[in-house]
Amino acid sequence: MTSIDVQHLTKEYGTRRAVDDLTFTVRPGRVTGFLGPNGAGKSTTMRLVLGLDRPTSGTATVGGRAYTTLQEPLRQVGALLDADAAHGSRTARNHLRVLAASNRVPARRVDEVMEETGIASVARRRVKTFSLGMRQRLGIAAALLGDPEVVMLDEPSNGLDPEGIIWIRELLRRMAAEGRTVLVSSHLMNETASFADHLVVLGRGRLLADTPMREFIDARVRPRVRVRTPDATALKAALARHGHDAVEHADGHWTVPDARVEDIGRIVSGAGVSVLELAADEGTLEQAYLDLTATETEFTAQPQEA
Amino acid sequence: MNLTPVLRAEALKVLTLRSLCGTLLALFAATTAFSALAGVSDTSAPDFDPLFMALSGVMPGQIAAIAFGAVVVSSEYQGNGIRLTLAAVPQRGRWFAAKLAVVAVPVLAVGLVTALAALLAARAGLGTAADGLTVGEQVRGVVGGGIYLMLMALFAAGLTALFRSGVATLSTLIPFILIVSFVIGDAAGTVADFLPDKAGQIALYRTYDGTLGPWTGLAVTALWAAVALLAGFWRLRRRDA
């Protein structure tokens, strides 16, 4: 069992607290989305886990050990931090060969991960000729190099084209299904909703939420039901009898707030109202996230630092 | 703590950057060419020293050695590459040791070959003017030249780790070397003898009349390099990457 464990982690840069008493665990077998606005402390937390920055207090461990005590860490933890970490004058293949050599990763893995990330055809080109999307793929290739149990990716879909975004989503889902621990930061809600099972949400360096994604949404966004009918009067009357208040929209459809589709379905069929469309209007991660940040008073009262 | 994989990775980094291989080539070419030129120059000056004349190409050549030491380290600080490096090798001491090895070994090897080639090229021009040189003096000059170049490269590597910038190192060290060489010049027997470059250069002279001899001079240069490396390592250890 290889989890990422963060305990009372605090990091101060001068007087600014980038990470403030953070405690959470990232567990294997699921994709954990790491959310928060720019400057919330997501990247700093990742650097602290990797032992690149030193915490002011608290600990971060991977599989129970501090990262800096790992002898061949790329075989246990794969990370993508910046897309521009590769030296521009080196070819993609040589860049990965260097990393492989440092952790005694077999050389064939270099070709395998380039194949997997779709950069095999540009393997012998210098990194400075790469587009952002290709650099991003190279960074992901580097993270996958040691076939690690734990994968930590900072904004992996940056610069990727639509096919790339679908590819990364499937990659993340597959890695979680293989039992790996997957932590993915993002500030794009719809994107995160498409791959995450669990969420860790930060705001101004503090933990705002650590819950399964479905629970997070259900707790914050009331479910609604969407109905279309040719007989608005009958619909409204039937719903009113059961204490529901329907709202009409400009294009002719109705929404029933705070209701479940199972209940509304029974009500309208019981009343014999003809129905053209009946659907659950699920809350989105974006709505839930905005609701959360709106309730964080300190969070909204002070402007974000750049 | 197994150093071998880290050494392999660092060696591969040097071999896969064309500019670094080019710098070593420049070290050889510049040193040999300037020594060859010195070999056909005027030998009638009263303080003519045939060994230094033959090895004088080391003076311009050391700029290539310094550039090599600086760039091997500074290439890590380009675009946050250091984060990727330290994520792969989180024990910073182990990484720094490997880095120094890939600065020292290539420069020493190329430096020894270069000093020998420079001596031979210059002697072809000097002819009888260099006949007085003993084998021992020439061996000392060549070995001392190789070690001197290596120490200057390490000095630059240490400063680069301290400044986290190759530009800062080169713009400090190269003017320093040029100014010391031209302004303080040959004023021997002063504190200038103990400057990092001047001390080590004593090994390139046939005769010397200061407090330092060829080997003690190189030891002083080594001390300077060690201080720069320790300062660089201190910065590397303390700082967030």
Side-chain angles (χ1 to χ4, degrees), chain A residues 35-49:
Chain A
L35 296 180
N38 295 329
K42 303 186 297 289
S43 303
T44 305
T45 306
M46 288 190 168
R47 286 202 305 276
L48 289 166
V49 171

Side-chain angles (χ1 to χ4, degrees), chain A residues 11 54 67 70 84 90 126, chain B residues 18 79 87 91 237 240:
Chain A
K11 176 68 183 178
R54 267 154 239 267
Y67 188 88
L70 300 175
D84 62 346
R90 224 171 252 129
R126 293 199 195 198
Chain B
R18 266 186 251 166
Q91 299 83 21
R237 272 193 74 113
D240 292 333

Side-chain angles (χ1 to χ4, degrees), chain A residues 189-218:
Chain A
M189 295 304 133
N190 293 338
E191 185 49 37
T192 306
S194 70
F195 55 66
D197 306 297
H198 195 89
L199 295 177
V200 171
V201 187
L202 299 191
R204 302 188 66 82
R206 277 197 250 155
L207 187 69
L208 300 186
D210 178 6
T211 55
M213 185 170 74
R214 201 64 255 166
E215 272 178 36
F216 179 75
I217 296 171
D218 291 346

Side-chain angles (χ1 to χ4, degrees), chain A residues 11-13 47 50-55 67-74 79 81-82 84-91 94-95 97-99 101-104 126 142, chain B residues 1-2 4-6 8-10 12-14 16-20 75-76 78-92 94 236-241:
Chain A
K11 176 68 183 178
E12 287 169 358
Y13 293 106
R47 286 202 305 276
L50 294 174
L52 294 172
D53 288 14
R54 267 154 239 267
Y67 188 88
T68 49
T69 66
L70 300 175
Q71 278 301 304
E72 283 164 353
L74 298 188
L81 290 185
D82 322 81
D84 62 346
H87 196 289
S89 301
R90 224 171 252 129
T91 66
N94 282 336
H95 171 69
R97 279 176 67 212
V98 165
L99 287 173
S102 70
N103 277 244
R104 295 193 304 142
R126 293 199 195 198
Chain B
M1 292 252 283
N2 191 355
T4 319
V6 190
R8 280 199 55 214
E10 291 303 326
L12 203 52
K13 276 185 191 171
V14 172
T16 54
L17 278 189
R18 266 186 251 166
S19 58
L20 286 176
S75 62
E76 296 285 346
Q78 217 165 313
N80 282 327
I82 188 76
R83 286 186 183 156
L84 197 59
T85 296
L86 293 179
V89 186
Q91 299 83 21
R92 298 185 185 188
R94 191 156 73 114
L236 174 73
R237 272 193 74 113
R238 270 190 78 243
R239 251 199 79 113
D240 292 333

